[in-house]
Structure formats: C-alpha cells, structure tokens
Amino acid sequence: MFEGKLVRLRALRSQDAEHHLRWRNDPEVVRWAAAGDPCFGPVTAEAVGLSFDTMLRLVPRESAVFTVEDLATGRVIGMADYRDLDPYAGVATLGITIGEREFWGCGHGRDAVRLLVDHLFGAYGLNRLELDTWSGNERAVRAFTGLGFREEGRRRSAALVEGKRYDRVLFGMLREEWGGPRTSA
C-alpha cells in the first residue's frame, strides 16, 4: 500500500470488480479514460469477472493493477496500473483511471500517478516510464506534464471520439528527470 497526499494505492481485491463494472459502463468515464474505445466499455459483469480473474493473478515483476482510494474517506475512486515491465530495457507503461466523476480535476489522478512513478523508479530501478492519452483529454495532459513527463510524440488522428479525430499523445519520463520519492508530509 502506498499513500500520497490525496490517495492511497492498494492491491486489487475481487470486490473491486463492482466499481470497474460501473465505470466501464459509464460513457463519460469511457470517453475520458479510453477515448471512447469500445474495447473499454460497455462491458458485461461476466467480462469484468474474467478480466478480474486475470488481474488478480498478475505477477508484479511484469504488471499490476492497483485500486485508488480517496485518502480522506477510504472510498474507491479509480484504478492505476503498470504493464509491459521490461527489466532488461528498464521500461514500463503506466495507466490511470479515476472512475468517480466528482474526483475529476481535483488532483487525485495526478497523486496516484506520482505514487506509481515513485514505486516503479524506487523499487524496480527502471530507467524510463511511459504513458499516453488522447489530445482532447487536457486534464490528463496537464497532470502528466505537471509530474515531469515530457511529450515524446504523437500518433496523428489515432483516436476517434464522438466522430472527431484526435491525436494519441505519448509521454515519457527518464530516471534522471524523476525527483525521487516525495512524502506526504
């Protein structure tokens, strides 16, 4: 478990599936988290159950999914993950979804990503971390750049959201750009 200023990251539990099912069937969450990708949602409870069976068995040396809880209330508000951890190349890919709308734009996602960055650079000694979003998700772009991620490229017109094309924006952070772990003091 990792605690920041606003959130706690904890291990995924089977009962978290109900939150994932709700978020993945909320069109606004799907829009912001996955640029409206129909592979993200809507989904059935059975599909979420199958994916949870897999997520609960992930090997942390390769990938992990964490539950994001609001530190003040303990309420489950989202998920954060890393995947494609390659110890030889020293690289991993991150992801974040805040599924509870009232926590959008309040810094909870940014705090969760910071905790994950600190964990991956600190525990695994990685050299670089990567993540992406779509160009219309300005909150995510601000959060990522505010944490020190740099835009490294764009896949032009790679996301289709509500009939309009957006770029996929790719971000990276190198170990030497990381400020080291920060405490919540």
Side-chain angles (χ1 to χ4, degrees):
M1 182 178 339
F2 314 107
E3 287 192 3
K5 294 178 180 176
L6 298 172
V7 302
R8 172 186 306 112
L9 298 184
R10 66 155 170 81
L12 190 68
R13 300 177 188 145
S14 58
Q15 60 265 37
D16 294 329
E18 67 184 74
H19 303 291
H20 287 241
L21 179 63
R22 188 176 67 257
W23 300 330
R24 292 182 64 184
N25 284 293
D26 180 331
E28 278 299 296
V29 174
V30 172
R31 180 177 190 266
W32 293 110
D37 184 345
C39 293
F40 189 81
V43 295
T44 64
E46 293 78 11
V48 169
L50 288 172
S51 69
F52 255 68
D53 287 344
T54 300
M55 288 190 290
L56 290 167
R57 290 178 176 83
L58 292 175
V59 178
R61 291 184 184 271
E62 300 165 3
S63 57
V65 178
F66 296 94
T67 295
V68 179
E69 294 178 338
D70 175 53
L71 197 56
T73 65
R75 181 174 172 197
V76 173
I77 63 168
M79 58 160 291
D81 74 285
Y82 65 88
R83 58 199 171 279
D84 305 324
L85 193 148
D86 181 339
Y88 179 74
V91 177
T93 302
L94 312 181
I96 178 71
T97 299
I98 299 300
E100 299 301 331
R101 294 181 190 195
E102 61 267 32
F103 291 90
W104 290 355
C106 300
H108 292 76
R110 180 179 171 150
D111 198 35
V113 171
R114 183 189 55 78
L115 289 170
L116 201 50
V117 166
D118 288 350
H119 171 63
L120 291 168
F121 277 141
Y124 290 98
L126 299 177
N127 185 56
R128 73 177 271 114
L129 298 173
E130 304 171 345
L131 46 71
D132 70 22
T133 191
W134 56 290
S135 58
N137 191 344
E138 295 172 3
R139 277 192 317 257
V141 169
R142 280 192 309 272
F144 301 158
T145 56
L147 286 166
F149 281 88
R150 294 187 186 178
E151 183 178 326
E152 294 184 336
R154 287 178 177 252
R155 286 186 240 141
R156 296 175 297 152
S157 294
L160 179 64
V161 181
E162 299 170 346
K164 185 176 176 188
R165 290 272 169 200
Y166 293 86
D167 295 346
R168 265 275 170 234
V169 187
L170 312 172
F171 293 91
M173 179 187 290
L174 302 178
R175 171 177 275 290
E176 61 260 19
E177 297 164 344
W178 171 55
R182 290 151 282 224
T183 62
S184 58

